[in-house]
Amino acid sequence: MNEWTSYQLQDFIPFTAEVYFRLLERMGENFWPLHLLTLALGAATLVMALKHRTRIACLLAAPLWAFVAVAFFFQRYAALNWAGGYVGYAFIAQAVLLALMALTGWGMDNAPRATTPPVAIGIAITLFGLIIMPLMAPLSGGSWFQAEVFGIHADPTAVTTLGLMLIMLRGFALWIAVIIPALWLVVSGLTLQALDSTGGAVLFAVLAIALIGGGLEKYRGQAVT
């Protein structure tokens, strides 16, 4: 028992901060200018969600989760961390779930898109994932290729999807749909904390706000004034 208590979080991370952020940078280098397409798809997904075209919104987001699973986790992250492949399968599962929701309409919120507390929080989180997160690395002195972009990198994909789910879904379906994005943000947040990056605190803050938004679902029928 004493031996286990001697371990720190850093002991479970099999790579350095330099290696990890270089991985993110390589993703940016290898797939540019695909970023423009994924950001456009993200913006279109938000517009569809707000226009009550929720099935289309889910259908647009699904292939991006599959792309991140293959391009990031299977082909790159798994080389650094043995658990990367398992996370990739989780991202594939999220892509399948979104596709099934698009086909069946399960859990879709059919009420008008009034600016209720969950919807307002969802919009804010979605915009944060689409706009603010790509700017964080460059504004912190990093390369523009280190910019983490929705549909290319895991963190903004999970953050943006959390926001979209708050806008589009209700009840049990909402909580099912946010499990994988939320769990990844916990894993990524802990990883970034172990690497002494402030990004971990940002992810935990976003997750906490999203959970508050989910808890306010009972106010979905009441518009914010």
Side-chain angles (χ1 to χ4, degrees):
M1 177 64 74
N2 290 335
E3 182 179 351
W4 279 105
T5 58
S6 67
Y7 285 100
Q8 296 181 332
L9 182 59
Q10 291 86 342
D11 298 322
F12 297 94
I13 307 299
F15 45 79
T16 64
E18 181 180 1
V19 169
Y20 183 69
F21 290 118
R22 177 55 185 154
L23 171 64
L24 300 180
E25 188 173 25
R26 286 209 320 271
M27 283 289 295
E29 293 171 347
N30 292 341
F31 291 106
W32 174 260
L34 186 60
H35 305 59
L36 301 178
L37 175 60
T38 60
L39 285 173
L41 286 174
T45 302
L46 176 59
V47 171
M48 291 296 100
L50 293 174
K51 288 191 172 183
H52 198 41
R53 308 289 294 275
T54 49
R55 290 194 179 192
I56 296 176
C58 284
L59 196 60
L60 290 174
L64 298 179
W65 275 81
F67 176 80
V68 173
V70 175
F72 183 69
F73 287 108
F74 291 144
Q75 296 183 352
R76 289 167 174 83
Y77 189 80
L80 301 181
N81 188 339
W82 62 268
Y86 295 104
V87 180
Y89 286 119
F91 269 58
I92 291 289
Q94 182 72 18
V96 171
L97 176 62
L98 291 172
L100 289 174
M101 286 180 162
L103 293 174
T104 65
W106 178 60
M108 299 295 179
D109 181 12
N110 295 318
R113 286 292 170 271
T115 311
T116 59
V119 172
I121 292 173
I123 292 171
I125 291 176
T126 302
L127 291 175
F128 181 82
L130 287 175
I131 299 173
I132 303 301
M133 290 189 73
L135 297 176
M136 290 172 63
L139 292 178
S140 300
S143 162
W144 276 99
F145 284 119
Q146 285 182 329
E148 295 187 62
V149 176
F150 171 72
I152 301 289
H153 299 88
D155 290 355
T157 302
V159 167
T160 302
T161 302
L162 274 182
L164 290 169
M165 296 302 99
L166 283 172
I167 297 170
M168 297 189 298
L169 302 181
R170 54 180 168 74
F172 182 67
L174 170 62
W175 295 106
I176 291 295
V178 302
I179 288 175
I180 291 174
L183 287 178
W184 170 249
L185 291 184
V186 172
V187 171
S188 184
L190 291 174
T191 300
L192 292 172
Q193 278 197 340
L195 299 177
D196 292 325
S197 170
T198 57
V202 173
L203 295 184
F204 288 136
V206 170
L207 180 56
I209 293 170
L211 292 175
I212 291 172
L216 292 174
E217 189 188 358
K218 63 182 178 179
Y219 299 107
R220 186 175 289 274
Q222 303 175 19
V224 174
T225 57

